[in-house]
Amino acid sequence: MGHQPKTRIYLTHGLPAPFRGPPVQPRYGFQGHPGVPPVATQPGVDGNMWMPTPVAPQNCAPGLEYLSQIDQLLVHQQVELLEVLTGFETNNKYEIKNALGQRVYFAAEENDCCTRTFCGSARPFVISVIDNMGREVMKLQRPCRCSSCCFPCCLQELEVQAPPGTTVGYVIQNWHPCLPKFTVQNEKKEGVLKIIGPCVPCSCCADVNFEVKSLDESHDVGRISKQWTGFVKEAVTDADNFGIQFPMDLDVKIKAVLLGACFLIDLMFFEHQPENNRHL
């Protein structure tokens, strides 16, 4: 009798999600949001390595399972060529990565030209956050409010929804004559953490740290850092890099709210028009 080839049977049922291969999805997703790059179902198709989808913890909102296995995020604002050349403010876009450089989320601001032009960094905004499957997993909403200590009754506020339509927390600016201070709240508007920044949030030649503290401000919990990117980039663009650190076992909802706090801090303190474009 001739040699008979052996039949091999591969069992995939029950294996952890990262070993099953990419789910069957359209290659590109999140349609209708201009400026968002194509979302690939496999790492590297769009030139970026996406973080593998982890197994979702119990009672975890869809899309927030990525936050369950990390204790820091790197937020890179993309450089907009049109903004550099003309000085006109464009919608902000951000890549959110883990410590390995794998993209976890992509975030895009949704705003109109008039609001960006006339309101500047004080503008209200909506930021949509998508994951590597093209799902809109978070929506961040900032209404038009004041940030001056002269108006303590109308200070900054950011609402974080995950998924969109379900509020998971807020970032509330606290009145203080000198320091930038915020309270991180849960969905019931109960205080969970505090964020305290420096008296003068100046990013000249050094990182600017906003400390995340316990509610009574007795000990440090984490940090939101605006990272110094060099003289050339700081002078020519307002594209900033941030690092967010938090405990690994922190509730994923509060991690999502801290990500929202990073965007609010960027718009409030670092969204400046480059010096060489102000005359345009």
Side-chain angles (χ1 to χ4, degrees):
M1 296 178 64
H3 177 71
Q4 298 293 327
K6 295 181 179 180
T7 301
R8 296 182 180 181
I9 301 176
Y10 295 92
L11 300 178
T12 59
H13 180 70
L15 290 178
F19 296 95
R20 294 180 182 173
V24 178
Q25 292 283 341
R27 167 170 278 186
Y28 303 112
F30 203 57
Q31 301 297 323
H33 290 264
V36 177
V39 178
T41 57
Q42 293 185 0
V45 174
D46 65 344
N48 294 280
M49 183 65 69
W50 284 88
M51 176 180 174
T53 305
V55 178
Q58 189 175 7
N59 300 323
C60 179
L64 297 190
E65 63 269 14
Y66 297 93
L67 300 178
S68 65
Q69 298 185 356
I70 55 179
D71 59 1
Q72 60 179 301
L73 290 170
L74 305 176
V75 180
H76 301 303
Q77 184 178 351
Q78 292 191 337
V79 177
E80 298 295 329
L81 183 59
L82 178 63
E83 186 173 324
V84 173
L85 295 178
T86 67
F88 290 105
E89 185 69 29
T90 59
N91 280 330
N92 289 345
K93 303 176 186 67
Y94 304 86
E95 284 186 297
I96 299 101
K97 301 181 179 180
N98 60 16
L100 299 177
Q102 298 170 325
R103 185 190 282 176
V104 183
Y105 300 116
F106 186 89
E109 178 186 4
E110 302 172 18
N111 226 323
D112 59 83
C113 181
C114 290
T115 302
R116 296 193 305 270
T117 301
F118 294 106
C119 297
S121 61
R123 63 186 182 268
F125 64 71
V126 173
I127 293 180
S128 295
V129 181
I130 65 170
D131 67 0
N132 61 2
M133 301 308 302
R135 300 177 299 176
E136 187 179 14
V137 297
M138 280 183 259
K139 188 177 287 291
L140 316 176
Q141 297 182 336
R142 175 201 191 187
C144 185
R145 299 176 72 93
C146 182
S147 60
S148 172
C149 63
C150 299
F151 301 95
C153 61
C154 192
L155 296 177
Q156 292 294 307
E157 179 178 323
L158 179 78
E159 179 183 357
V160 180
Q161 300 176 0
T166 302
T167 301
V168 296
Y170 301 86
V171 182
I172 306 296
Q173 183 185 8
N174 304 133
W175 184 89
H176 194 279
C178 301
L179 299 176
K181 297 187 71 172
F182 303 88
T183 297
V184 175
Q185 299 178 336
N186 60 19
E187 67 274 16
K188 299 179 181 178
K189 287 206 167 186
E190 300 169 336
V192 179
L193 298 170
K194 292 281 189 178
I195 301 175
I196 303 176
C199 181
V200 181
C202 176
S203 60
C204 183
C205 304
D207 294 351
V208 182
N209 297 321
F210 288 74
E211 303 296 339
V212 181
K213 295 180 174 290
S214 59
L215 197 58
D216 60 3
E217 303 181 16
S218 61
H219 62 276
D220 294 340
V221 175
R223 175 179 295 173
I224 300 175
S225 300
K226 192 275 180 186
Q227 299 169 346
W228 171 251
T229 56
F231 286 104
V232 175
K233 187 174 181 180
E234 294 281 345
V236 174
T237 77
D238 61 358
D240 300 314
N241 293 338
F242 287 85
I244 309 173
Q245 300 175 13
F246 37 67
M248 181 74 74
D249 59 353
L250 186 66
D251 186 350
V252 292
K253 295 180 181 179
I254 302 303
K255 291 181 181 181
V257 178
L258 289 177
L259 176 60
C262 178
F263 294 132
L264 180 61
I265 289 171
D266 180 31
L267 265 293
M268 287 182 64
F269 302 107
F270 305 106
E271 187 74 2
H272 62 276
Q273 191 175 19
E275 293 287 344
N276 62 334
N277 287 332
R278 287 183 179 173
H279 64 281
L280 296 174

